[in-house]
Amino acid sequence: MLFRSQMATVTTKIARQYRDLDLNFTAHPFTKDVSKTIDEMAVINSIKNLVLTAPYEKPFHPEIGSRVNYLLFENMDQVTSSVLQREIQQVITNFEPRVRVNQISAIPDFDNNGYSISLEFLIINKTEPITIEFFLERVR
């Protein structure tokens, strides 16, 4: 008589960890190699770079970038604020597959001649939403 035992297998799903190079190019204290940013900071830096990069600024990839820099020189009103929100939404949706945007608000700050941006997004493998706030102003 032959007995076959079946063993139960347990599989665990490991969440993916996102890593990017630190754009300050600081050296790692032990390996002396370029440091890496991990998870939330890697995604936040990527979003910041996408929003602040103008079209045709990245060599060989003219499609990457947003018109945010050009919109800062338009009249400061609700229409420009709405276009700014859509532009940020579009560049993140098109070029950052690691996130899903929940909410964007662009509030004109007439005294400081810029926009207060609040961006709430969800990293694909995470459960907690992340909110970042920054100020966009034109630079001559």
Side-chain angles (χ1 to χ4, degrees):
M1 188 180 269
L2 185 62
F3 291 101
R4 292 185 183 203
S5 65
Q6 294 181 352
M7 297 181 70
T9 59
V10 177
T11 59
T12 58
K13 190 172 186 176
I14 298 173
R16 183 177 182 141
Q17 186 179 38
Y18 299 115
R19 291 182 224 149
D20 287 339
L21 290 177
D22 183 16
L23 295 181
N24 293 329
F25 294 108
T26 56
H28 190 273
F30 299 115
T31 64
K32 303 300 183 207
D33 199 5
V34 177
S35 297
K36 297 176 210 159
T37 56
I38 301 172
D39 282 337
E40 289 89 9
M41 284 308 299
V43 174
I44 289 171
N45 287 340
S46 175
I47 289 173
K48 180 181 77 169
N49 287 332
L50 281 173
V51 169
L52 296 178
T53 300
Y56 296 97
E57 187 175 334
K58 190 168 183 175
F60 305 108
H61 290 286
E63 72 279 1
I64 295 177
S66 68
R67 297 179 308 134
V68 169
N69 292 335
Y70 307 127
L71 291 172
L72 295 176
F73 287 94
E74 295 292 328
N75 290 333
M76 191 173 292
D77 56 4
Q78 291 301 323
V79 174
T80 306
S81 177
S82 176
V83 173
L84 194 60
Q85 290 173 7
R86 280 187 300 208
E87 188 68 27
I88 293 171
Q89 169 77 36
Q90 183 178 6
V91 74
I92 293 172
T93 302
N94 290 344
F95 300 112
E96 186 52 77
R98 302 178 285 187
V99 301
R100 188 177 72 232
V101 176
N102 291 343
Q103 181 180 355
I104 299 174
S105 67
I107 301 168
D109 185 355
F110 296 103
D111 294 333
N112 294 319
N113 202 19
Y115 292 89
S116 296
I117 307 294
S118 176
L119 172 64
E120 181 181 306
F121 60 91
L122 185 67
I123 298 178
I124 297 298
N125 291 328
K126 305 287 183 183
T127 58
E128 299 271 333
I130 297 172
T131 303
I132 58 174
E133 296 179 354
F134 51 96
F135 189 76
L136 291 175
E137 61 184 343
R138 59 183 169 192
V139 179
R140 297 176 191 231

